[in-house]
Amino acid sequence: MAFKLNNPPYKIDNTPIYHVDMEDGVMGKANNNLTIIINKDVDPSKTQEVIDHEMVHIDQMKRGDLDYDDKNVYWKGKKYSRAQMQEGAKNLPWEAEAYKKSK
């Protein structure tokens, strides 16, 4: 007979994290495939902070609030043109949540 916990008392995080070459000024990115990439040049003392921030975006995608493609970011059903925004700006709603929760 099997025993199953519906809600285990511990959190399992198996999000793949990769350290790669990235453009200057970009520290990390949460991908649509629920992986995280971290700039290989990030100061090791900042790595966990970047992971924590990107994990908020992973959670946003899992709950269906955040999605993106090459031209747009979609937040809670609203479309934001990537050409007309500064990506990573703290005033963008998905970034505001990530900055607040990852501090």
Side-chain angles (χ1 to χ4, degrees):
M1 180 182 305
F3 176 75
K4 180 180 176 185
L5 285 174
N6 289 332
N7 294 313
Y10 49 86
K11 181 179 179 187
I12 298 173
D13 178 16
N14 57 0
T15 302
I17 299 171
Y18 304 98
H19 296 261
V20 300
D21 282 324
M22 297 180 80
E23 63 190 88
D24 288 340
V26 177
M27 297 177 73
K29 179 181 174 189
N31 295 309
N32 281 341
N33 66 0
L34 304 180
T35 63
I36 293 174
I37 55 175
I38 305 292
N39 189 325
K40 70 174 187 60
D41 296 326
V42 166
D43 182 324
S45 69
K46 300 283 186 185
T47 299
Q48 189 59 53
E49 181 181 334
V50 175
I51 291 169
D52 292 346
H53 179 95
E54 298 306 328
M55 280 302 298
V56 175
H57 295 316
I58 295 291
D59 290 339
Q60 291 168 336
M61 286 186 255
K62 284 181 178 179
R63 67 180 194 242
D65 289 342
L66 178 65
D67 195 11
Y68 66 88
D69 56 34
D70 290 339
K71 294 185 179 188
N72 299 295
V73 174
Y74 307 92
W75 175 251
K76 296 186 176 183
K78 185 174 179 184
K79 181 168 64 172
Y80 295 79
S81 169
R82 294 180 97 161
Q84 297 178 356
M85 76 169 82
Q86 181 172 346
E87 300 234 11
K90 292 182 179 184
N91 66 327
L92 297 169
W94 56 93
E95 291 294 351
E97 179 183 344
Y99 281 106
K100 180 180 177 184
K101 289 184 175 178
S102 64
K103 292 281 176 188

